Amino acid sequence: MMSRNQLDQETSPYLLQHSTNPVHWRPWGAAALAEAKAANKPILLSVGYAACHWCHVMAHESFEDETTAQLINALFVPIKVDREERPDLDIIYQSALASLGQQGGWPLTMFLTADAEPFWGGTYFPPSPRFGRPSFRDVLTGVAATYTAEPDKISTNVAALQQALLRLATPERGSIPDRAIFEQIATAVLPAVDLVHGGLSGAPKFPQVPMFQLLWKAGLRRADPALREAVTNTLTHMCQGGIYDHLGGGFARYATDESWLVPHFEKMLYDNAQLIELLTSVWQHDASPLYAARITETIDWLLRNMLTDHGAFAATLDADSEGVEGKYYVWSSEEIDRVLPADQASLLKSVYGVTTGGNWEGHSILNRNHRDSDADSDDALAARLIGAKRTLLAVRSKRIPPARDDKCLADWNGMMIAALANAAFVFRRADWQAAAEKAFAAIRDHQSIDDRLVHSMRRGRRQGEAMLDDYAQMARAALVLYATTGQQSYLSQASRWVNVVDRHFRDDLNGGCFFTADNAPDLIIRTKSAFDQATPSGNGVMVDVLARLFYQTGDDLYRQRAEAIVSAFAGQIERSFPSMASLLNSWELLNDAVHVVVVAASGDPAGQTLLTAIAESCQPNLVMTRLSPDDRLPDDHPAAAKLASKIAGAVAFVCRGPVCSAPIIDPAALHLALTES
């Protein structure tokens, strides 16, 4: 039977983008792997995602080219994978590429044996030699010739990469680090921060949110203005730079330059979730109008552009429109002059850096980093710009927009639900809270079977067993919702998902949690890591979840499990701490949480004033438990004895370790108790 492209039956927007390629792509699965074995052909594995600019470039140059496609079809069994749908596969083969000494990224182009074992690869390959890279056709013929004529060389590469993958999946255990490690890390990281533009020095610049969370917490703990300014300078430059969409809201994935001007224009749900959470935490300390505005505008973008029909959130917006990166977002001076009155056009161009020659490829990316930061909090200036910005947004909305990848990913939704619920609590926004709860219900009800989550869903079709990150992020979302609503059902759901992780992901032999469940099919290895990638590591987030459960339930087993995860990776911390910030942040929460227990009847105004005092307090290691007057804590909870007698009226207790405060009924006193060192 003649081979054909088999992607037309998929739901992934990325795979569907390639469904009309002359390359006879197959989706990953047992059938494609069996075909490779039967034909004794190597596998060409191509991994990307719908919003990826260079994935589009390679597709247009090579996968849509008939001659290149004929070569691929003759020499390989080609398999196409959406890395957002199958991060378990992506992490394996990205790790294999790294073991070859090459920098990873997307598109990922890997060559595998018929048993799915990697033996060579790269990322983007051009159609003709350039950028110091060989042409893709030369790569294809060379790899196929080596596979056929030099099997010993292939076997040697396979064995070496298998050993490298095994080492990566077996992290170095160690003793639980002491608290001094946080001071050492903050001291070591600060010199790497760009003190002019913010972010880590050099280009490109990524948000690196877990690392800056670590610096922020250290700055508060040490009352160190240099550490705090490293964070606020970074956030301010991001909020004012071209990486931020000044008309529509939301942050792009990263900036290609050192001053945050030129974004890689794709917008990812996970970046915006992390930035909302960090901005909210810093706002609680500084009350910056700029940060409040960016949080509000980004959530407005989220609810306007990223909601799916059932209330969960879509994954990404593309970098390209009409085949051109950034075309939807950039402006010319002449276009602004045409659509705005002269006085508005002049003001807007001055404020947002629009010039006749442009600041990027002949066009202008709106940004405010060229201005004195003091002018950015000018309310009168902001009011004068509102009408002009609305006009430009209306004009932009008539352009052909970037494509939206509307699949719902459990882990990315969990990140956004937690960030949104926390922002709703801090800014007292019932509408944001309702959106967070609706998104949570959508994932819980539509992307799970009993308590087993499904990683991805689009158009009603569930795809893939959930991975560690899905359970960790959704459990964390449940615990944030429990704290912000007081509804016990969220606490119970988090506990059930943690039990699934304990049964199917925990490594009983070496500690920590595998990325995939014990029944995950078609994988050559089960990976295990505490290294942050674009998203926080699943093991790091699990420590956060277990820490919260320990404080909120008083069950010491959760603390023991959290410490076991930290111990499983502790041997790597000293030399790899920049990549392990999430694990370290969570470990600090486990050790130094400020646990506040609020007891109040539903709707009690006095209880609401206590909650407002908590919302206005900057305490990054806060864990909150809300109880009604009839609720009781477990007997071994440090606050249990204080609740033994019936509580009259709204009251709070602030607990650090095993010691809890006397009852607090005054909001000002509660605020002081939460913020004192």
Side-chain angles (χ1 to χ4, degrees):
M1 184 179 71
M2 180 178 288
S3 296
R4 68 172 182 85
N5 190 315
Q6 298 176 12
L7 301 184
D8 56 345
Q9 301 302 306
E10 298 299 306
T11 60
S12 157
Y14 175 67
L15 299 185
L16 291 172
Q17 286 173 0
H18 293 268
S19 64
T20 58
N21 290 171
V23 178
H24 294 156
W25 295 116
R26 288 104 172 86
W28 182 278
L33 299 178
E35 183 181 347
K37 287 185 179 181
N40 193 28
K41 284 185 176 182
I43 294 168
L44 167 62
L45 176 67
S46 178
V47 184
Y49 57 99
C52 169
H53 171 70
W54 284 102
C55 299
H56 300 330
V57 172
M58 191 167 178
H60 297 322
E61 292 176 342
S62 295
F63 301 144
E64 296 172 7
D65 178 73
E66 290 284 351
T67 303
T68 305
Q70 289 176 13
L71 198 59
I72 293 171
N73 296 335
L75 299 176
F76 300 91
V77 172
I79 297 178
K80 180 65 80 170
V81 166
D82 181 341
R83 58 89 46 184
E84 295 169 357
E85 208 170 61
R86 293 300 304 266
D88 51 343
L89 294 170
D90 182 62
I91 197 170
I92 290 172
Y93 296 109
Q94 291 281 0
S95 298
L97 183 64
S99 298
L100 289 167
Q102 298 192 49
Q103 185 173 353
W106 301 279
L108 175 65
T109 306
M110 290 298 293
F111 297 96
L112 321 178
T113 69
D115 292 316
E117 300 163 320
F119 61 88
W120 195 74
T123 52
Y124 164 79
F125 290 101
S128 57
R130 62 175 185 264
F131 311 129
R133 300 169 187 253
S135 77
F136 190 44
R137 291 183 195 174
D138 288 345
V139 168
L140 294 170
T141 55
V143 167
T146 303
Y147 188 83
T148 302
E150 301 181 74
D152 290 345
K153 183 180 288 187
I154 300 299
S155 298
T156 299
N157 273 22
V158 165
L161 288 177
Q162 283 281 34
Q163 287 301 310
L165 289 173
L166 283 171
R167 288 193 297 272
L168 289 171
T170 311
E172 184 180 341
R173 296 178 61 85
S175 301
I176 295 287
D178 61 31
R179 287 174 171 82
I181 190 72
F182 292 103
E183 310 307 320
Q184 297 167 14
I185 289 172
T187 300
V189 169
L190 188 59
V193 175
D194 181 342
L195 299 181
V196 176
H197 303 292
L200 298 183
S201 296
K205 271 189 161 73
F206 290 83
Q208 304 276 13
V209 171
M211 175 55 67
F212 283 96
Q213 284 177 325
L214 188 150
L215 289 179
W216 179 245
K217 292 166 74 171
L220 292 177
R221 183 174 61 252
R222 290 165 45 170
D224 186 335
L227 288 171
R228 294 200 303 265
E229 287 170 15
V231 179
T232 56
N233 187 44
T234 296
L235 290 176
T236 297
H237 277 86
M238 288 186 66
C239 286
Q240 300 292 49
I243 193 174
Y244 183 74
D245 180 355
H246 290 270
L247 297 181
F251 293 87
R253 181 167 170 250
Y254 65 90
T256 62
D257 64 311
E258 67 176 0
S259 63
W260 304 103
L261 171 64
V262 182
H264 192 44
F265 289 89
E266 64 202 41
K267 291 183 183 178
M268 320 297 287
L269 186 67
Y270 61 77
D271 284 319
N272 286 280
Q274 293 177 85
L275 285 165
I276 288 170
E277 187 157 323
L278 180 56
L279 283 165
T280 301
S281 179
V282 178
W283 180 88
Q284 287 177 296
H285 183 272
D286 290 357
S288 163
L290 174 64
Y291 299 165
R294 296 297 182 260
I295 292 164
T296 300
E297 292 162 358
T298 299
I299 293 174
D300 286 347
W301 161 77
L302 173 78
L303 300 180
R304 183 177 63 248
N305 294 114
M306 302 301 282
L307 272 177
T308 61
D309 291 343
H310 62 306
F313 301 113
T316 66
L317 290 182
D318 208 327
D320 301 4
S321 54
E322 301 181 76
V324 179
E325 183 180 15
K327 183 175 182 179
Y328 184 74
Y329 297 101
V330 298
W331 296 86
S332 69
S333 178
E334 295 76 14
E335 186 178 13
I336 291 174
D337 286 338
R338 285 197 306 271
V339 300
L340 292 178
D343 60 333
Q344 286 190 2
S346 177
L347 176 64
L348 185 131
K349 288 192 293 183
S350 171
V351 171
Y352 288 101
V354 179
T355 61
T356 301
N359 54 28
W360 180 67
E361 298 184 357
H363 295 84
S364 288
I365 299 168
L366 302 185
N367 80 101
R368 297 179 67 157
N369 270 338
H370 60 289
R371 292 178 59 80
D372 184 339
S373 61
D374 290 340
D376 297 316
S377 59
D378 186 331
D379 292 337
L381 176 63
R384 291 172 63 196
L385 288 167
I386 288 175
K389 290 171 66 177
R390 285 176 178 168
T391 299
L392 289 192
L393 184 60
V395 170
R396 195 179 80 174
S397 68
K398 296 176 183 177
R399 299 174 180 174
I400 297 174
R404 185 179 79 152
D405 186 334
D406 59 354
K407 65 176 175 287
C408 297
L409 303 174
D411 54 342
W412 296 7
N413 267 269
M415 295 171 69
M416 183 56 81
I417 292 163
L420 186 57
N422 181 60
F425 175 73
V426 169
F427 289 96
R428 319 310 290 161
R429 289 290 298 265
D431 53 337
W432 295 355
Q433 180 71 33
E437 293 194 64
K438 185 174 181 179
F440 183 89
I443 300 297
R444 181 195 61 206
D445 298 343
H446 298 284
Q447 283 183 228
S448 66
I449 302 170
D450 296 325
D451 286 320
R452 295 299 294 269
L453 284 164
V454 174
H455 172 64
S456 174
M457 189 180 77
R458 183 172 187 258
R459 296 181 177 175
R461 182 173 168 183
R462 297 166 173 164
Q463 292 279 72
E465 294 281 343
M467 285 148 270
L468 175 64
D469 293 24
D470 297 303
Y471 287 101
Q473 294 288 5
M474 283 301 296
R476 185 173 185 271
L479 293 175
V480 174
L481 285 170
Y482 166 61
T484 57
T485 67
Q487 294 182 28
Q488 289 285 331
S489 60
Y490 290 121
L491 179 65
S492 299
Q493 181 63 76
S495 298
R496 292 197 297 273
W497 280 330
V498 167
N499 289 338
V500 172
V501 171
D502 197 46
R503 291 195 303 271
H504 298 288
F505 292 81
R506 190 173 68 174
D507 182 351
D508 292 323
L509 182 62
N510 295 308
C513 298
F514 290 109
F515 186 62
T516 50
D518 49 11
N519 63 338
D522 303 324
L523 299 176
I524 61 171
I525 195 169
R526 292 177 75 193
T527 60
K528 186 176 66 174
S529 173
F531 293 144
D532 298 326
Q533 304 295 329
T535 57
S537 74
N539 274 289
V541 178
M542 275 305 301
V543 174
D544 180 288
V545 168
L546 292 165
R548 292 173 190 274
L549 283 169
F550 163 61
Y551 287 108
Q552 289 171 330
T553 68
D555 188 341
D556 193 63
L557 182 60
Y558 291 123
R559 180 190 58 79
Q560 295 173 33
R561 291 178 182 173
E563 289 183 346
I565 293 176
V566 175
S567 178
F569 300 98
Q572 299 173 299
I573 290 174
E574 188 170 341
R575 64 178 180 273
S576 302
F577 60 82
S579 300
M580 303 177 75
S582 293
L583 183 78
L584 290 164
N585 285 329
S586 299
W587 184 79
E588 184 180 359
L589 178 69
L590 177 67
N591 283 276
D592 295 316
V594 176
H595 182 202
V596 57
V597 180
V598 179
V599 184
S602 177
D604 182 349
Q608 292 301 313
T609 62
L610 292 176
L611 294 173
T612 298
I614 297 169
E616 293 174 350
S617 303
C618 182
Q619 181 46 258
N621 286 325
L622 177 74
V623 176
M624 183 166 61
T625 300
R626 289 173 59 178
L627 304 173
S628 72
D630 295 327
D631 290 333
R632 288 292 175 266
L633 289 167
D635 291 340
D636 53 356
H637 194 286
K642 297 179 183 294
L643 296 177
S645 57
K646 191 172 181 62
I647 298 293
V651 65
F653 303 92
V654 176
C655 306
R656 289 176 167 84
V659 179
C660 294
S661 69
I664 300 173
I665 60 173
D666 177 55
L670 178 57
H671 179 84
L672 180 63
L674 287 172
T675 54
E676 64 186 3
S677 59

